[in-house]
Structure formats: C-alpha cells, structure tokens
Amino acid sequence: MFDNLSEKLDKAFHVLKGHGQITEINVAETLKEVRRALLDADVNFKIAKEFTNNVKEKALGQNVLTNLQPGQLMVKIVKDELTQLMGGDAEEIDLSGNPSVVLMSGLQGSGKTTFSGKLANYLKAKKSKKPLLVACDVYRPAAIDQLHVVGEQIGVEVYSDRDNNDPVAIAEAGVKHAKSLGCNIVIIDTAGRLAVDEQMMTEIANIHKAVTPQETLFVVDSMTGQDAVNTAKAFNDVLNFDGVILTKLDGDTRGGAAISIKSVVDKPIKFIGTGEKMEAIDVFYPSRMADRILGMGDVVSLVERA
Amino acid sequence: EKSKSSFFGKLSKAVAGKSKVDDEVLDNLEEVLVSSDVGVDTTLKIIDRIEERVSRDKYMGADELNTILREEIAGLLSETHVGEDTEFVIPSDKKPYVIMVVGVNGVGKTTTIGKLAYQFKKQGLKVVLGAGDTFRAAAIDQLEVWAKRVDVPIIKQKMGSDPASVAFDTLNSAVADNADVVLIDTAGRLHNKVNLMNELSKVKRVMQKVVSDAPHEVLLVLDGSTGQNAFEQAKQFTKATEVSSLAVTKLDGTAKGGVVIGISDQFQIPVKYIGVGEGIEDLQVFNKYEFVDSFFKV
Ligand SMILES: Nc1nc2c(ncn2[C@@H]2O[C@H](COP(=O)(O)OP(=O)(O)OP(=O)(O)O)[C@@H](O)[C@H]2O)c(=O)[nH]1
Ligand SMILES: Nc1nc2c(ncn2[C@@H]2O[C@H](COP(=O)(O)OP(=O)(O)OP(=O)(O)O)[C@@H](O)[C@H]2O)c(=O)[nH]1
Ligand SMILES: [Mg+2]
Ligand SMILES: [Mg+2]
C-alpha cells in the first residue's frame, strides 16, 4: 500500500517543471503528496501539517539550480528538514554514575524487557561494563521469569524479589545489591503502563524519585500510530525522560512515530531494536530514519549526487 | 465529551438544510478520522460516502447527522453471519473447536487467550490451551499463569521445541479429553519474516492431521495503538493463515484503533473482540457503533 514517495513526487513534478522558481502555485501539489506520505507513515496529523508548512516556507522563492529539477529540490528540502528535526548525530547514553542507573518506561508490549537485556548485553560486550538487571514488573504474568531467562542468555545477573510487590522497594534494593556486587550499571525493567493510568504513572514517578536514574528511557514500538504523541508527552510530563528507544524496526513500518515523538518532546532517539535476539540493537541514525519514513533511498542518493 | 458534541454540533450546522457539506466540516472530519488511525485512503472513502449520502438525502435534519455519520463509517466494518452478535459461537458439532491466535510481537495474543479461556469456561465449555510460543523468554510460563488463573489444562513442551508439535499434542489431548475449545498460542512474529510466516502454515497443516478442518478460527490480534502498518500485518497473516477474525487490544488507553475499519473493509474480516485492560475480564465483544463513537470523544 505504500507507494514510493519519489514516484508520487515524480507525478507531481510536472506541475513544477518549466518554472525557474518555486512558487505558491507550483508547490501546492507537491506538498500535498509530501503530507500524504507522512500520514501514510504514521506521522501525527498536526505535525505533518506543521512540517509541510515549514517546508513550504523554506521552498518558496528558492531558485531552482540548473543541475537540479524543481521536484528534486523539493525532495532535498523535505529530507533535510526531516533529518534536522530528528536530531543531529547519534547520542550516547550517560554512564557517568557509579553505578549508573537506567530506568525503562513505556506502554505494554513495547519491548522494555527485551531491550533491557539488549542494553545490558551491549554495555557488557562493547563498553566492558558490569550490569545488573532489576525486575520491577510485579504485575505481568511471568515477567520476572522473562527477565531471568534473558539474563541467563547474556550472562548478566538479575535481581528480583518474588515476595515483594512494591516496585519502588525492589528498585532501591536492586541498586543496593548492585553496589554490593560491584556492578557499575543498573538496568531497571518496569511493567508496561498506559499514560492514562494515574496510579501506574505515579508508581513509576516514585521509582524515578527513589533511584534518581542517569538515564530514563522511553521505549516505544515503531509501529505506533497517531497516539504516539499523546503517550510520549504524558510519559515525558511525568518522567522528563532522557531518550527514546524505537523497537521492532526489523518490520516494514515506516516509523513516522519517530518524528512525532521527536517534535513533541524534543528528546533524542538513542537506540533502535531490530529483532528479538539480544544482539539486535543499533544506535540511531536520523538520516536513515528520514529516508525510511519517506521511503525514498534512491531519490536521496540522486539528490546527493547532484 | 466536549469535543464530541462540538464536532457533531458543527457538523449539524454545516449540513442541516443543505445538499452539500462544507469544506471546513470535511476538513474537521478528516482530522478526527486520520487522528484515530483510520488512514488517508479509508478517510477519503468515508468522506465520499458522506458527501454522496448528503447529496442524495438532501435537506436532512440535524439529529439525523449523527446517525448517518455512524452508519457510513460503521458500514465499512465487515458484517458477521450473526448480525450484531460478533463473539465466537462454539458450534456443538465441531469438537474440539480450534482457535489459533496469531499476530506480531507484543500485541496481546497470550493475554487475549487467557481472557477468552475465561469467557469460554464461564459458558460451561471445556477448554484446553496450547503453549505454541516456544521461542520468547518465559512465554510458556506466562501462558501457564493464565491457565492456572482460569483453571484450565495447558499442553506444553520445553522452550525451543517445535510449535507444530506442541499444537499436535494439544489437539490430541483435547480429542482424548473430549474438550470443546482449544486455544493455540503462537510466538509473536513480524509479518515480513518469511520463515516465521511459513512456520504458521506448518502449524496449521500439522493440526489438520488430528482435526481435519482445524483451525476453525484464526484470530489475528492487532494492537490498538498500531498505525498504518496494521494493514500490512493483516495482509501477510491472511496470506499465511487465512485469518478469520480480528481482536483489537489496548483500547483502554488513548489510542483509537481506527486502522481496523479499513482492514475489515478490505479483507472482509470481522472484528470480534476488543481488549480493554490487562485483567481477566477485560475483553469485550466488539460493538461497531461504540467503536466509531470513541473517535469523537476526547
Ligand atoms: N521483531 C522484534 N521484536 C521485538 C523487538 N523488541 C522486542 N520484541 C518482541 O516484542 C515482544 C514484547 O517485548 P517485551 O520485551 O516483552 O515488551 P515489554 O515492553 O517488556 O512488555 P510488557 O512488560 O508486557 O509491557 C516480545 O515478543 C519481544 O520478543 C524488536 O526490536 N524486534
Ligand atoms: N492495557 C492493556 N494491556 C494489554 C491488553 N492486552 C494485553 N495487554 C498487555 O500487553 C502486554 C503484551 O501482552 P501479551 O499477551 O504478552 O502479548 P503477546 O502478543 O502474547 O506478546 P508476544 O508473545 O511477546 O508476541 C502485556 O503487558 C499485557 O498485559 C489490553 O487490552 N490493554
Ligand atoms: Mg516487560
Ligand atoms: Mg505471547
């Protein structure tokens, strides 16, 4: 169902052709296609609107270079704007604390537990760190078991307390335990929660207060649709999180939620999840994500050559 | 509630006594629908239907509008054979009635199975669960917790074993115990992974060695917060397993799940259930009018 944006723009290009300058009239059709592509990619309705307005401002009055078709110039403007919006270089996570505490947050099923394992594995293998995983999901059936299995797979210790149903207390005890073991990273897995669930949001705020994490991460499924803005904003209001993790990018979603989240909370996307296995983690590249959202790798390289 | 009434209010004013809908109203309608994940194509289709209806029925009263809007949107949702009653009806001549539950990672398959098992059990049916997710960490333990909660038997093997073999065992056990319903859990899989999709077809084939017309239902679970990618999910899972019904989960949040309208329309698959929480009772029979109304609530 996803037509390539470049193809669509090509169709719209004829409107622009023959004009030396981008004008209000000749840009309208192209912008409509851009907006449509953004919506198909799940970029939030309002943000897509704002974005196309910005692109329009940037484009109007620009002289079309001799070696660039007007349509290609538009694509370049769109792509540059998008990349800029998505942030500059990949941002690392803060590991300065001893131990450094990393708190996971997010909706149900977004990939928190899996990512906790991946991050522990990554920090252990790539940064020679000694992580401890802490199981603070006391609700989901077998959530604690899941983290234990993950810990075993990667050879990382897991702290849990099955007799305790207070995640705040478990988190605190976990940090203490990490210190006694000489672990320099503590990764706290939490239960999935909805932003509208006040009790659960208060709970994670309390965990946050109790362990003062260096890094609070918001884990979000890259297939998320229009609601991504509401959820990201609500979690950010409560936690003022430090970064975003985009999971399940091994699928074929365009991942427009990435732009929506970035524009609404202005926090960097730090890692992406690209599979169920523990090695399926990667740092985030804004420009690649822009290409993906627009579905237009070929046009971009064409523009870059021009 | 406020935005709902003001939206309908505006719509009424704009349409009442006219034969054409104002552009501004259509823009508003577009925003409401696209923001509910209905998607551009389906939104345009709905707008066309409403424009057509208004031009045909000319000069309608304001109170009819609400109804028309609901009707035109709900009209895209595929009907089931039993009218408004969309829940699974377990026929007594198909024993055991086999329901296989599929979907991408983390959408709520296992939880939905737990909730369904509870409902069937309450109806006095004999239920068996099959732990067909042998891949994800502690997936078997998770289903086992649900089996205990509902107090129904679970058939399992150890992690890493062949899911088709688990399904085979489950059906054999269900036949031997004269069970009414079998619910088969499967591992979450992204629909673009060919091997994993083929695995589902294999599970199906192996089940047919025990019950020749199994599975009687393939329930595709969609996460209500998923956007347009759900289309591709429906397409690929239908290709691999002939999905017969849909469940939309996590509608207790702010996400609207509007993408299922287009899916139900295009693939002619009825939505049967919605998930509205993590608890055992948080599964409701799908009601299309309530569903459509939810788009216009804050
Ligand atoms: N394909 C793919 N699957 C993933 C990825 N990350 C997580 N998953 C899968 O998504 C599902 C949910 O992941 P979990 O880690 O259990 O998610 P969670 O956020 O901890 O879920 P709750 O604790 O229930 O809120 C599992 O099937 C994971 O294997 C990813 O990057 N790609
Ligand atoms: N709020 C809410 N949470 C739900 C609902 N349905 C499931 N969940 C939660 O979503 C998360 C994932 O549910 P699962 O049932 O494990 O999903 P799954 O599809 O079996 O996941 P995998 O087997 O890993 O692919 C869990 O935390 C569930 O408690 C629902 O209707 N509402
Ligand atoms: Mg978890
Ligand atoms: Mg499951």
Side-chain angles (χ1 to χ4, degrees), chain A residues 7 14 41 64 88 92 114 126 128 135 145 149-150 161 180 184 190 198 212 214 218 226 230 234 257 265 274 277:
Chain A
E7 274 166 35
H14 73 270
V64 178
E92 292 275 325
T114 306
K126 298 268 160 73
S128 314
D145 301 302
V149 173
V150 161
D161 182 354
S180 74
N184 45 21
T190 63
E198 275 179 43
T212 53
Q214 264 68 44
F218 177 62
Q226 297 286 318
N230 303 325
V265 297
T274 56
K277 302 233 170 81

Side-chain angles (χ1 to χ4, degrees), chain A residues 1-2 35-36 39-40 42 45-46 108-109 140-142 145-146 149-150 153 192 194 196 223-227 230 248 250-253 276, chain B residues 30-31 34-35 37 40-41 105 135-138 141-142 145-146 188 190-193 225-229 232-233 250 252-255 278:
Chain A
M1 97 168 250
F2 296 130
R35 179 171 166 273
R36 171 71 199 259
L39 293 178
D40 283 347
D42 292 321
F45 185 86
K46 290 204 177 79
Q108 286 93 346
R140 171 174 169 173
D145 301 302
Q146 187 185 356
V149 173
V150 161
Q153 280 172 359
L194 292 170
V196 289
M223 293 176 276
T224 310
Q226 297 286 318
D227 191 52
N230 303 325
K248 310 180 195 173
D250 45 324
D252 57 5
T253 184
E276 295 191 71
Chain B
E30 185 196 4
E31 173 165 0
V34 172
S35 299
D37 288 317
V40 179
D41 276 335
N105 307 83
F135 178 74
R136 210 211 63 217
D141 308 83
Q142 185 188 359
V145 172
W146 278 104
L190 292 175
H191 49 282
N192 58 340
K193 307 213 163 151
S225 59
T226 302
Q228 299 309 299
N229 191 249
E232 218 44 44
Q233 294 172 22
K250 308 183 194 175
D252 43 329
T254 40
E278 299 183 78

Side-chain angles (χ1 to χ4, degrees), chain A residues 108-109 140 194, chain B residues 104-111 115 133 136 142 186-188 249-252 275-278:
Chain A
Q108 286 93 346
R140 171 174 169 173
L194 292 170
Chain B
V104 300
N105 307 83
V107 289
K109 295 175 292 298
T110 307
T111 308
K115 294 169 178 176
D133 181 355
R136 210 211 63 217
Q142 185 188 359
T186 62
T249 60
K250 308 183 194 175
L251 290 182
D252 43 329
V276 291
E278 299 183 78

Side-chain angles (χ1 to χ4, degrees), chain B residues 257-288:
Chain B
V259 66
V260 297
I261 293 180
I263 292 175
S264 183
D265 179 39
Q266 183 171 330
F267 301 101
Q268 290 296 302
I269 307 171
V271 185
K272 298 226 167 182
Y273 293 96
I274 60 169
V276 291
E278 299 183 78
I280 198 164
E281 304 206 349
D282 295 329
L283 187 74
Q284 296 174 359
V285 173
F286 179 72
N287 176 310
K288 52 173 118 173

